[in-house]
């Protein structure tokens, strides 16, 4: 969008002057907000140090290969020459094919101006060519370990994507049009939103992703009827109200992650896994984890096991009189479930679990993906110091780190919309859940990162000890169902698959389409993504996929058939529907309960009236 020949009137000049004054005031206030944050804490400084070390290692590798340096410089010069020729033809009105185009999944350059305006077209191509050269350079560096290459690629990608022309006012055609149309009001509004988000951030910026006033847990999300029938310091146990006259005799216990809140499994009725399970005839119980603060700093992995699944099994026996359960677990909740089943097996109580299902669960942490960037020894040591100091990891820091794994979609797109365009975020329940974070207690999180992620000790026979009991996943005879997703960037399926090779009992492995959330929360009526099955479990995950059969739709009915065909949910032994409060446990409060509604500011005693809280 190039400036036209319109001469502004005195009134327009005065209006622009007033907007410039407001922008200046907001900018000055923003600087005052930022200055106290310029000194990073121990954990952040360890990341910056690792970043510097990664670039230093990359520079040394490049210096050892003069031919690669020369080739890279030559290609950059060739790119500039071709761009110069392209620009001459484009500005003269000739139709020319672009030298480079955005990738299929790159949504940053969707505006027509990037294709029709020679000015913006040239800027986009210059940027994309530079990004390609950086990526190719890192790929071709010799003498780097796999971890060094991964870290260097991650940090370089963050810097390159931060430099995208879409992230700046004067080189983003949509923002330029909006600025002219609103006489800069978009920038005034954007700076105000930036300050609000900064006030609700710990490290980096937790951008607002949705209209948080549009949702309330228990009112329009997490509304499947039920009751809290048991609680302790760490969790509340929810028993859901039945929707069928008869239910399976063996109850189903859902063990969700505590890195975020359980209700991603119960967002809306039409995509709620919890409601679907109830409608299939299961007596569903679910662990709702507490949002911990400094007072819970000493809670350990063993505490999560004892006060979570094991305490829940004991409570379920009181509620419905059943001594065994089927377990359905998700993400780190699945890692805990595997630990629990192994612990029960080693203490001769393995029959308390009739079957166990692991959804997007890591047991073998051989390939943590880009999360491994935050688990190098220097970074982990810095995080451990921070955990020791505070007693917990602020969930907003975790959310910011996870967003950087998909920075263009989960950070920069909102940065542009919120702060440059000045738009108010639209209501979206999944993004509401994504920003409704939980803290992580120091005693659990540090142990988990070092012993499981860093050292991969869970797969070692007797590699970890829980309450004096050494556990071995290879001794588990409980029937297991593993479901992973092909595009998962958090629990990569090429690692989750190897967890399925560990138990000695019968194992079914299923691979769903899509990613960590959408591939798991995939209701049958949408008929999306599909899944793959293979009765064999070869030693290599790629060999499994080569022999797998593709199926349309959701994996949920396949799981239900596995439960009923094998008698873990026995259709021949149905019982009358069980209502919460019918057994020995009284109803404490309606679902979803108060634990899941506690926000991080409330837990930490922050002023809810402060901006962004």
């Amino acid at each position: 969008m190039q400036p036209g020949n319109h001469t502004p009137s005195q009134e327009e000049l005065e209006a622009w002057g007033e907007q410039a004054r407001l922008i200046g005031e907001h900018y000055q206030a923003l600087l005052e907000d930022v200055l106290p944050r310029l000194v990073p804490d121990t954990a952040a400084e360890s990341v910056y140090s690792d970043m510097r070390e990664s670039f230093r290692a990359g520079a040394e590798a490049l210096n050892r290969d003069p031919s690669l340096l020369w080739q890279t410089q030559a290609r950059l010069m060739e790119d500039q020459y071709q761009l110069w020729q392209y620009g001459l033809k484009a500005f003269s009105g000739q139709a020319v094919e672009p030298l480079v185009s955005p990738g299929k999944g790159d949504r940053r350059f969707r505006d027509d101006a990037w294709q029709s305006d020679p000015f913006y077209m040239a800027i986009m191509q210059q940027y994309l060519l530079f990004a390609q050269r950086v990526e190719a350079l890192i790929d071709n560096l010799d003498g780097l370990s796999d971890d060094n290459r991964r870290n260097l690629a991650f940090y370089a990608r963050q810097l390159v994507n931060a430099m995208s022309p879409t992230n700046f006012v004067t080189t983003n055609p949509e923002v330029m049009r909006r600025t002219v149309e609103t006489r800069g009001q978009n920038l005034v509004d954007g700076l105000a939103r930036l300050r609000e988000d900064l006030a609700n951030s710990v490290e980096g910026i937790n951008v607002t992703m949705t209209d948080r006033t549009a949702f309330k847990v228990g009112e329009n999300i997490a509304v499947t009827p039920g009751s809290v029938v048991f609680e302790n310091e760490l969790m509340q146990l929810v028993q859901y109200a039945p929707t069928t006259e008869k239910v399976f005799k063996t109850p189903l216990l859902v063990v969700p992650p505590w890195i975020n809140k359980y209700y991603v499994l119960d967002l809306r009725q039409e995509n709620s896994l919890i409601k679907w399970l109830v409608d299939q005839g299961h007596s569903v119980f679910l662990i709702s984890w507490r949002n911990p603060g400094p007072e819970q700093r000493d809670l350990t992995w063993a505490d999560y096991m004892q006060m979570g699944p094991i305490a829940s099994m004991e409570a379920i026996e009181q509620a419905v009189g059943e001594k065994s359960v089927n377990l359905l677990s998700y993400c780190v909740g699945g890692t805990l479930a595997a630990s629990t089943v192994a612990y029960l097996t080693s203490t001769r109580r393995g029959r308390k679990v009739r079957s166990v299902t692991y959804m997007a669960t890591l047991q073998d942490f051989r390939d943590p993906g880009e999360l491994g960037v935050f688990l190098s020894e220097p970074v982990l040591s810095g995080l451990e110091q921070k955990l020791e100091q505070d007693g917990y990891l602020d969930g907003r820091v975790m959310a910011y780190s996870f967003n950087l794994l998909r920075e263009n979609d989960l950070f920069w797109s909102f940065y542009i919309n919120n702060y440059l365009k000045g738009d108010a975020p639209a209501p979206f329940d999944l993004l509401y859940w994504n920003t409704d974070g939980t803290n992580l207690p120091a005693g659990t999180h540090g142990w988990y990162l070092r012993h499981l992620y860093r050292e991969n000790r869970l797969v070692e026979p007797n590699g970890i000890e829980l309450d004096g009991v050494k556990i071995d996943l290879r001794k588990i005879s409980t029937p297991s169902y593993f479901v992973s997703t092909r595009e998962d960037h958090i629990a990569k399926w090429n690692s989750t698959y190897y967890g399925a090779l560990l138990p000695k009992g019968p194992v079914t492995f299923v691979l769903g389409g899509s990613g960590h959330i959408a591939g798991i929360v995939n209701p049958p009526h949408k008929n999306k993504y599909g899944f793959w099955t293979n009765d064999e479990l070869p030693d290599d995950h790629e060999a499994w996929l080569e022999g797998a059969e593709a199926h349309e739709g959701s994996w949920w009915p396949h799981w239900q058939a596995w439960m009923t065909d094998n008698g873990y949910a026995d259709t021949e032994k149905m019982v009358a529907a069980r209502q919460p409060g019918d057994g020995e446990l009284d109803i404490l409060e309606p679902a979803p309960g108060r634990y899941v509604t506690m926000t991080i500011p409330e837990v930490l005693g922050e002023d809810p009236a402060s901006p962004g809280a």
Side-chain angles (χ1 to χ4, degrees), residues 52-62 64 141 143-144 148 152:
R52 292 191 293 267
E53 176 61 25
S54 295
F55 281 112
R56 184 195 62 78
E60 290 181 352
L62 184 59
R64 291 192 298 268
L141 284 174
L144 290 178
N148 280 342
L152 178 60

Side-chain angles (χ1 to χ4, degrees), residues 4 47 99 131 164-165 174 184 200 236 255-256 259 270 272-273 286 321 340 355 389 411 425 427 488 527 572 592 596:
V47 174
L99 301 176
S164 171
E174 293 180 87
N200 193 36
Q236 289 188 315
V255 186
I259 287 176
E270 60 266 26
S272 171
L273 175 58
L286 176 140
T340 302
S355 73
Q389 172 187 316
F411 182 81
D488 196 332
N527 197 34
E572 301 298 322
V596 74

